[in-house]
Amino acid sequence: MVNTDASWPDLYESRTRVLEIQTKLHRWATADRGRRFDDLYNLVTDPAFLIVAWERVHTNTGGRTAGVDGITAHLVRALDREREFLTELRTDLKDGSFRPLPVRERMIPKAGGKLRRLGIPTVRDRVAQAALKLVLEPIFEADFHPCSYGFRPKRRAQDAIAEIHFLNSGTRKYEWVLEADIEACFDSIDHTALMDRVRQRIGDKRVLRLVKAFLKAGIFTADRIRVNSNAGTPQGGILSPLLANIALSVLDDHFAEQQRQEMATATQRAKRKRHGLGNWRLVRYADDFVVLVSGTRAHAEALQVQVATVLTPMGLRLSPTKTQVVHINEGFVFLGWHIQRRRKRGTVSQYHVYTWPSKKSLKSIMVRIRQLTHHRAPHRDLFHLLLRLNAALRGWCNYFRHGVSSRTFSYLSHYSWHKVTRWIRRRHHGITWKQLWRRFLLPGGKPAHNGVIMYSPQEDMPITRYRYRGNTIPTPWTVTTPTTA
């Protein structure tokens, strides 16, 4: 398919070639659901794929993070060794001498005092994983179902939330919710079961060996001890989200098959209701998912056993303490949102599903504001504080702007204003409020310095309704037919 002895193209040429080949792979996989792809390894080592993979690695926020070898993508660029680096990597991949190094363990604090393990691969391994993902993703995307939204191109968490809205609008009453939590999903995936699912589409043994090598690379702990990885795919690897989606698609396949056979039409769903049976739909974002049920609580509780049975062969199990059945009128938290059906203000019988930032989500941004405005924070002046604070506030508010968030944004504006003004007063001992207003605040009251103005969620982030896209979400490889005038 590709001349692997071709010279190194530039980035624009590489992107064009990669997109063209990905589009072909996606089209072939979509046209023939049973097709196994046998000649893919040459694409992994193709210069265009490696260049695009390198661009994604060094422009990522983790470009300054090193693996166990201590080398960062930023260092490779600073030494102007990019072409040499990619040439050496390509040679090792082509002659079969490439061996992934163990990932570097990094423990990230979670809510409740627990820790989550991240595995940071070396830069070489990250580029190889990125090239491998460029080849595999368009193939497996042809098999993934619309109910899955996490770590998939052009899909967002907001699409999952919009799906829940849709299933409880009009005459659709999917009122019972099975909130499911998978215990240590990324760390528990069974390698044999995962590779079996990969082999359903991939017949190239060199690609399969490379995927397995990344799974078995091991972990280098903070105590400098190497631990074998007999299960799971480490969070932090570029390939891990795709592999996790392949593993979890066993759940999507199960519910999609039920939907196709028993609940595909309104007639089928109505017949099930007449016979006292429930109807249900899965909404999944990576390892976070809910099953919405039109029926009774008993129907939702029965699904918990069904879900556990489907996940067991993949080495996954539900957390008994975090998995529960709730009614949508009680409300539940999903992807940082509190979702609840309430009576519409000013009406007697009209009910709508409302979403707003959960208490946990609000607490997370408040903790971040406190960290940035702490008296020991390393900001040299107000200018640098506002740069970092604005980035945090803008990112958080952009995620939550498609909900009933005005009251939360108002509270957050006042909270951040008080924290910043308090930080200014600590840095300038003895300053009066009159001096503070004259030196550091604009006429409207916003802190500002050297042209940087503090971001106000209440004033600067418009709240808009998110457009429901349903099953019309395109892929990057969807070929659109140009319209004629």
Side-chain angles (χ1 to χ4, degrees), residues 79-142:
L79 297 176
D80 196 24
R81 291 191 66 248
E82 294 169 279
R83 185 56 53 87
E84 181 183 349
F85 170 85
L86 291 177
T87 301
E88 291 175 357
L89 174 60
R90 181 170 183 252
T91 300
D92 291 347
L93 285 168
K94 288 189 70 176
D95 64 22
S97 63
F98 176 82
R99 297 291 184 274
L101 291 175
V103 298
R104 179 168 67 87
E105 180 186 62
R106 184 176 178 183
M107 305 305 290
I108 305 296
K110 290 176 62 178
K114 295 184 179 180
L115 296 175
R116 176 167 59 95
R117 173 188 285 170
L118 278 185
I120 304 173
T122 64
V123 177
R124 272 172 57 93
D125 293 351
R126 270 179 264 175
V127 175
Q129 286 190 31
L132 193 55
K133 183 182 178 184
L134 288 171
V135 175
L136 297 181
E137 189 173 50
I139 296 172
F140 284 99
E141 274 292 325

Coordinates of all heavy atoms in Angstrom, one line a residue, residues 79-142:
L79 N 17.6 19.7 21.0 CA 18.9 19.2 20.4 C 18.9 19.1 18.9 O 19.9 18.7 18.3 CB 19.3 17.9 21.1 CG 19.6 17.9 22.6 CD1 19.9 16.5 23.1 CD2 20.7 18.9 22.9
D80 N 17.7 19.4 18.3 CA 17.5 19.3 16.9 C 17.9 17.9 16.4 O 18.6 17.7 15.4 CB 18.4 20.3 16.2 CG 17.9 20.6 14.7 OD1 16.8 20.3 14.4 OD2 18.8 21.0 13.9
R81 N 17.4 16.8 17.1 CA 17.7 15.5 16.7 C 16.4 14.7 16.3 O 16.4 13.5 16.3 CB 18.3 14.7 17.9 CG 19.6 15.2 18.3 CD 20.3 14.2 19.3 NE 20.5 12.9 18.8 CZ 19.9 11.8 19.1 NH1 18.9 11.8 20.0 NH2 20.2 10.6 18.6
E82 N 15.4 15.4 15.8 CA 14.1 14.8 15.5 C 14.3 13.8 14.3 O 13.8 12.7 14.4 CB 13.1 15.9 15.1 CG 12.7 16.8 16.2 CD 11.9 18.0 15.8 OE1 12.5 19.0 15.3 OE2 10.7 17.9 15.9
R83 N 15.0 14.2 13.2 CA 15.1 13.3 12.1 C 15.9 12.1 12.5 O 15.6 11.0 12.1 CB 15.7 14.1 10.9 CG 15.8 13.3 9.6 CD 14.5 12.7 9.2 NE 13.5 13.8 9.1 CZ 13.3 14.5 8.0 NH1 14.0 14.3 6.9 NH2 12.3 15.4 8.0
E84 N 17.0 12.3 13.2 CA 17.9 11.2 13.6 C 17.1 10.3 14.6 O 17.2 9.0 14.5 CB 19.1 11.7 14.3 CG 20.1 10.7 14.8 CD 21.2 11.3 15.6 OE1 21.4 12.5 15.5 OE2 22.0 10.5 16.2
F85 N 16.3 10.9 15.5 CA 15.5 10.1 16.4 C 14.5 9.2 15.7 O 14.4 8.0 16.0 CB 14.8 11.1 17.4 CG 13.7 10.4 18.2 CD1 14.0 9.9 19.4 CD2 12.4 10.5 17.9 CE1 13.1 9.3 20.2 CE2 11.4 9.9 18.7 CZ 11.8 9.3 19.9
L86 N 13.8 9.8 14.7 CA 12.8 9.0 14.0 C 13.4 8.0 13.1 O 12.9 6.9 12.9 CB 11.9 10.0 13.1 CG 11.0 10.9 13.9 CD1 10.2 11.8 13.0 CD2 10.0 10.1 14.7
T87 N 14.6 8.3 12.5 CA 15.3 7.3 11.6 C 15.7 6.1 12.5 O 15.5 4.9 12.0 CB 16.5 7.9 11.0 OG1 16.1 9.1 10.2 CG2 17.2 6.9 10.1
E88 N 16.2 6.3 13.6 CA 16.7 5.2 14.5 C 15.4 4.4 14.9 O 15.5 3.1 14.9 CB 17.4 5.7 15.7 CG 18.7 6.3 15.5 CD 19.4 6.9 16.7 OE1 18.7 6.9 17.8 OE2 20.5 7.5 16.6
L89 N 14.3 5.0 15.3 CA 13.1 4.3 15.7 C 12.6 3.5 14.5 O 12.2 2.3 14.7 CB 12.1 5.3 16.2 CG 10.7 4.7 16.5 CD1 10.8 3.7 17.6 CD2 9.7 5.9 16.9
R90 N 12.6 4.1 13.3 CA 12.1 3.3 12.2 C 12.9 2.1 11.9 O 12.4 1.0 11.6 CB 12.0 4.3 11.0 CG 11.4 3.6 9.7 CD 11.2 4.6 8.6 NE 10.6 4.0 7.5 CZ 11.2 3.8 6.3 NH1 12.5 4.1 6.2 NH2 10.6 3.2 5.3
T91 N 14.2 2.3 12.0 CA 15.1 1.1 11.7 C 14.9 0.0 12.7 O 14.8 -1.2 12.3 CB 16.6 1.6 11.8 OG1 16.8 2.6 10.9 CG2 17.5 0.4 11.6
D92 N 14.7 0.3 14.0 CA 14.5 -0.7 15.0 C 13.1 -1.4 14.8 O 13.0 -2.6 15.0 CB 14.5 -0.1 16.4 CG 15.9 0.4 16.8 OD1 16.9 0.0 16.1 OD2 16.1 1.1 17.8
L93 N 12.1 -0.6 14.4 CA 10.8 -1.2 14.1 C 10.9 -2.1 12.9 O 10.3 -3.2 12.9 CB 9.8 -0.1 13.9 CG 9.3 0.7 15.1 CD1 8.5 1.9 14.7 CD2 8.4 -0.2 16.1
K94 N 11.6 -1.7 11.9 CA 11.6 -2.5 10.7 C 12.4 -3.8 10.8 O 12.0 -4.9 10.3 CB 12.2 -1.7 9.5 CG 11.3 -0.6 9.0 CD 11.9 0.0 7.7 CE 11.8 -0.9 6.6 NZ 12.2 -0.3 5.3
D95 N 13.5 -3.8 11.6 CA 14.4 -5.0 11.7 C 13.9 -5.9 12.9 O 14.6 -6.9 13.1 CB 15.9 -4.6 11.8 CG 16.2 -3.8 13.0 OD1 15.5 -3.8 14.0 OD2 17.3 -3.2 13.0
G96 N 12.9 -5.4 13.6 CA 12.4 -6.3 14.7 C 13.1 -6.2 16.0 O 12.8 -6.9 16.9
S97 N 14.1 -5.2 16.1 CA 14.9 -5.1 17.3 C 14.2 -4.2 18.4 O 14.7 -4.0 19.5 CB 16.3 -4.6 17.0 OG 16.2 -3.3 16.4
F98 N 13.1 -3.5 18.0 CA 12.4 -2.6 18.9 C 11.8 -3.4 20.1 O 11.1 -4.3 19.9 CB 11.3 -1.8 18.2 CG 10.5 -0.9 19.1 CD1 11.0 0.3 19.4 CD2 9.3 -1.3 19.6 CE1 10.2 1.2 20.2 CE2 8.6 -0.5 20.4 CZ 9.0 0.7 20.7
R99 N 12.1 -2.9 21.3 CA 11.6 -3.5 22.5 C 11.1 -2.3 23.4 O 11.9 -1.5 23.8 CB 12.6 -4.3 23.3 CG 13.1 -5.5 22.5 CD 12.0 -6.6 22.4 NE 12.5 -7.8 21.7 CZ 12.6 -8.0 20.4 NH1 12.2 -7.0 19.6 NH2 13.1 -9.1 19.9
P100 N 9.8 -2.3 23.8 CA 9.3 -1.2 24.7 C 10.0 -1.4 26.0 O 10.3 -2.5 26.5 CB 7.8 -1.5 24.8 CG 7.5 -2.4 23.6 CD 8.7 -3.2 23.4
L101 N 10.3 -0.2 26.6 CA 10.8 -0.2 28.0 C 9.7 -0.1 29.0 O 8.5 0.3 28.6 CB 11.7 1.0 28.2 CG 13.1 1.0 27.4 CD1 13.8 2.4 27.6 CD2 13.9 -0.1 27.9
P102 N 9.9 -0.5 30.3 CA 8.8 -0.4 31.3 C 8.3 1.1 31.4 O 9.1 2.0 31.2 CB 9.5 -0.9 32.5 CG 10.7 -1.7 32.1 CD 11.1 -1.1 30.8
V103 N 7.1 1.2 31.7 CA 6.5 2.6 31.9 C 7.0 3.1 33.3 O 7.2 2.3 34.3 CB 5.0 2.6 31.8 CG1 4.6 2.2 30.4 CG2 4.3 1.7 32.8
R104 N 7.1 4.4 33.5 CA 7.5 4.9 34.7 C 6.2 5.2 35.6 O 5.3 5.9 35.1 CB 8.2 6.2 34.6 CG 8.6 6.9 35.9 CD 9.6 8.1 35.6 NE 9.0 9.2 34.9 CZ 8.4 10.2 35.5 NH1 8.2 10.2 36.8 NH2 7.9 11.1 34.8
E105 N 6.2 4.7 36.7 CA 5.0 4.8 37.6 C 4.9 6.2 38.2 O 5.9 6.7 38.7 CB 5.0 3.8 38.7 CG 3.8 3.8 39.6 CD 3.9 2.9 40.8 OE1 4.9 3.1 41.6 OE2 3.1 2.0 40.9
R106 N 3.7 6.7 38.2 CA 3.5 8.0 38.8 C 2.1 7.9 39.5 O 1.1 7.7 38.8 CB 3.5 9.2 37.8 CG 3.4 10.5 38.5 CD 3.6 11.7 37.5 NE 3.4 12.9 38.1 CZ 3.4 14.1 37.5 NH1 3.7 14.1 36.2 NH2 3.2 15.2 38.1
M107 N 2.0 8.2 40.7 CA 0.7 8.1 41.5 C 0.1 9.4 41.6 O 0.7 10.4 42.0 CB 1.0 7.5 42.9 CG 1.7 6.2 42.9 SD 0.9 4.9 41.9 CE -0.5 4.5 42.8
I108 N -1.2 9.5 41.1 CA -1.9 10.7 41.1 C -3.0 10.7 42.1 O -3.8 9.7 42.2 CB -2.6 11.0 39.7 CG1 -1.5 10.9 38.6 CG2 -3.4 12.3 39.6 CD1 -0.5 12.0 38.7
P109 N -3.1 11.7 43.0 CA -4.2 11.7 44.0 C -5.6 11.7 43.5 O -5.8 12.4 42.5 CB -3.9 13.0 44.8 CG -2.5 13.4 44.5 CD -2.3 12.9 43.1
K110 N -6.5 10.9 44.1 CA -7.9 10.9 43.7 C -8.7 11.5 44.9 O -8.2 11.6 46.0 CB -8.3 9.5 43.4 CG -7.8 8.9 42.1 CD -8.2 7.5 41.9 CE -9.7 7.3 41.8 NZ -10.1 5.9 41.5
A111 N -10.0 11.7 44.6 CA -10.9 12.1 45.7 C -11.0 11.0 46.7 O -11.0 9.8 46.4 CB -12.2 12.4 45.1
G112 N -11.0 11.4 48.0 CA -11.1 10.4 49.0 C -9.8 9.9 49.5 O -9.7 9.0 50.4
G113 N -8.7 10.6 49.0 CA -7.4 10.2 49.5 C -6.7 9.0 48.8 O -5.6 8.7 49.1
K114 N -7.4 8.4 47.9 CA -6.9 7.3 47.1 C -5.9 7.8 46.0 O -5.9 9.0 45.7 CB -8.0 6.4 46.5 CG -8.8 5.7 47.6 CD -9.9 4.8 46.9 CE -10.7 4.1 47.9 NZ -11.7 3.2 47.3
L115 N -5.1 6.9 45.5 CA -4.2 7.2 44.4 C -4.5 6.4 43.1 O -5.0 5.3 43.2 CB -2.8 6.9 44.9 CG -2.2 7.7 46.1 CD1 -0.8 7.1 46.5 CD2 -2.1 9.2 45.7
R116 N -4.3 7.1 42.0 CA -4.5 6.4 40.7 C -3.1 6.3 40.0 O -2.4 7.3 40.0 CB -5.4 7.3 39.9 CG -5.6 6.7 38.5 CD -6.8 7.4 37.8 NE -6.7 8.8 37.7 CZ -6.2 9.5 36.7 NH1 -5.8 8.8 35.6 NH2 -6.1 10.8 36.7
R117 N -2.8 5.1 39.5 CA -1.5 4.9 38.9 C -1.5 5.3 37.4 O -2.4 4.9 36.6 CB -1.2 3.4 39.0 CG 0.1 3.1 38.2 CD 0.3 1.6 38.2 NE 0.8 1.1 39.5 CZ 0.9 -0.2 39.7 NH1 0.5 -1.1 38.9 NH2 1.3 -0.6 40.9
L118 N -0.5 6.2 37.1 CA -0.3 6.5 35.7 C 1.0 5.8 35.3 O 1.9 5.7 36.1 CB -0.1 8.0 35.5 CG -1.3 8.9 35.4 CD1 -0.9 10.3 35.1 CD2 -2.2 8.4 34.3
G119 N 1.1 5.3 34.1 CA 2.3 4.7 33.5 C 2.8 5.6 32.4 O 2.1 5.7 31.4
I120 N 4.0 6.2 32.5 CA 4.5 7.1 31.5 C 5.5 6.4 30.7 O 6.6 6.0 31.2 CB 5.1 8.3 32.2 CG1 4.1 9.0 33.2 CG2 5.7 9.3 31.2 CD1 4.7 10.1 34.0
P121 N 5.2 6.1 29.4 CA 6.2 5.4 28.5 C 7.3 6.4 28.1 O 7.2 7.6 28.3 CB 5.4 5.0 27.3 CG 3.9 5.3 27.7 CD 4.0 6.4 28.7
T122 N 8.4 5.8 27.6 CA 9.5 6.6 27.0 C 9.0 7.3 25.8 O 7.9 7.0 25.2 CB 10.7 5.8 26.7 OG1 10.3 4.9 25.7 CG2 11.2 5.0 27.9
V123 N 9.7 8.4 25.3 CA 9.3 9.1 24.1 C 9.3 8.2 22.9 O 8.4 8.2 22.1 CB 10.3 10.3 23.9 CG1 9.9 11.0 22.6 CG2 10.2 11.2 25.1
R124 N 10.3 7.3 22.8 CA 10.4 6.3 21.7 C 9.1 5.5 21.7 O 8.5 5.2 20.6 CB 11.6 5.4 21.8 CG 12.8 5.9 21.2 CD 14.0 5.1 21.5 NE 13.8 3.7 21.2 CZ 14.2 3.1 20.0 NH1 14.8 3.9 19.1 NH2 14.0 1.9 19.8
D125 N 8.7 5.0 22.9 CA 7.5 4.1 23.0 C 6.3 4.9 22.6 O 5.3 4.4 22.0 CB 7.4 3.5 24.3 CG 8.6 2.5 24.6 OD1 9.3 2.2 23.7 OD2 8.7 2.1 25.8
R126 N 6.2 6.2 23.1 CA 5.1 7.0 22.8 C 4.9 7.2 21.3 O 3.7 7.1 20.8 CB 5.2 8.3 23.5 CG 4.6 8.3 24.9 CD 4.7 9.7 25.6 NE 5.9 9.7 26.4 CZ 6.4 10.8 27.0 NH1 5.7 11.9 26.9 NH2 7.4 10.7 27.8
V127 N 6.0 7.5 20.6 CA 5.9 7.7 19.1 C 5.4 6.4 18.4 O 4.6 6.4 17.5 CB 7.2 8.2 18.6 CG1 7.1 8.3 17.0 CG2 7.5 9.5 19.2
A128 N 6.0 5.2 18.9 CA 5.6 4.0 18.3 C 4.1 3.7 18.5 O 3.4 3.2 17.7 CB 6.5 2.8 18.8
Q129 N 3.7 3.9 19.8 CA 2.3 3.7 20.1 C 1.4 4.7 19.3 O 0.3 4.2 18.8 CB 2.0 4.0 21.6 CG 2.6 2.9 22.5 CD 2.1 3.1 23.9 OE1 1.0 3.6 24.2 NE2 2.9 2.7 24.9
A130 N 1.8 5.9 19.1 CA 1.0 6.9 18.3 C 0.9 6.4 16.9 O -0.2 6.5 16.2 CB 1.6 8.3 18.4
A131 N 2.0 5.9 16.3 CA 1.9 5.4 14.9 C 1.0 4.2 14.8 O 0.3 4.0 13.9 CB 3.3 5.0 14.4
L132 N 1.1 3.3 15.8 CA 0.3 2.1 15.9 C -1.2 2.5 16.0 O -2.1 1.9 15.3 CB 0.7 1.2 17.0 CG 0.1 -0.2 17.1 CD1 0.4 -1.0 15.8 CD2 0.7 -0.9 18.3
K133 N -1.5 3.5 16.8 CA -2.9 4.0 16.9 C -3.4 4.6 15.6 O -4.6 4.4 15.3 CB -3.0 5.0 18.1 CG -4.4 5.5 18.3 CD -4.4 6.5 19.4 CE -5.9 7.0 19.6 NZ -5.9 8.1 20.6
L134 N -2.6 5.3 14.9 CA -3.0 5.9 13.6 C -3.4 4.8 12.7 O -4.3 5.0 11.8 CB -1.8 6.7 13.0 CG -1.5 8.0 13.7 CD1 -0.2 8.6 13.1 CD2 -2.6 9.0 13.5
V135 N -2.8 3.6 12.8 CA -3.2 2.5 11.9 C -4.4 1.8 12.4 O -5.3 1.4 11.6 CB -2.0 1.5 11.7 CG1 -2.4 0.3 10.9 CG2 -0.8 2.3 11.1
L136 N -4.5 1.5 13.7 CA -5.5 0.7 14.2 C -6.9 1.4 14.4 O -7.9 0.8 14.2 CB -5.1 0.1 15.5 CG -3.9 -0.9 15.5 CD1 -3.6 -1.4 16.9 CD2 -4.1 -2.0 14.6
E137 N -6.8 2.7 14.8 CA -8.0 3.4 15.1 C -9.1 3.4 14.1 O -10.3 3.1 14.3 CB -7.7 4.8 15.6 CG -8.9 5.5 16.2 CD -8.5 6.9 16.8 OE1 -7.8 7.6 16.1 OE2 -8.8 7.1 18.0
P138 N -8.8 3.7 12.8 CA -9.8 3.8 11.8 C -10.5 2.4 11.5 O -11.6 2.3 11.1 CB -9.1 4.3 10.5 CG -7.7 4.1 10.8 CD -7.5 4.2 12.3
I139 N -9.7 1.3 11.8 CA -10.3 0.0 11.6 C -11.3 -0.3 12.7 O -12.4 -0.8 12.4 CB -9.1 -1.1 11.6 CG1 -8.2 -0.8 10.4 CG2 -9.7 -2.5 11.6 CD1 -7.0 -1.7 10.4
F140 N -10.9 -0.1 14.0 CA -11.8 -0.5 15.1 C -12.9 0.5 15.2 O -14.0 0.2 15.8 CB -11.0 -0.6 16.4 CG -10.2 -1.9 16.4 CD1 -8.8 -1.9 16.1 CD2 -10.8 -3.1 16.8 CE1 -8.1 -3.0 16.2 CE2 -10.1 -4.2 16.8 CZ -8.7 -4.2 16.5
E141 N -12.7 1.8 14.8 CA -13.8 2.7 14.8 C -15.0 2.3 14.0 O -16.2 2.6 14.2 CB -13.4 4.1 14.3 CG -12.7 5.0 15.4 CD -13.7 5.4 16.5 OE1 -14.9 5.7 16.1 OE2 -13.4 5.5 17.7
A142 N -14.7 1.5 13.0 CA -15.8 0.9 12.1 C -16.7 0.0 12.9 O -17.9 -0.2 12.5 CB -15.2 0.3 10.9

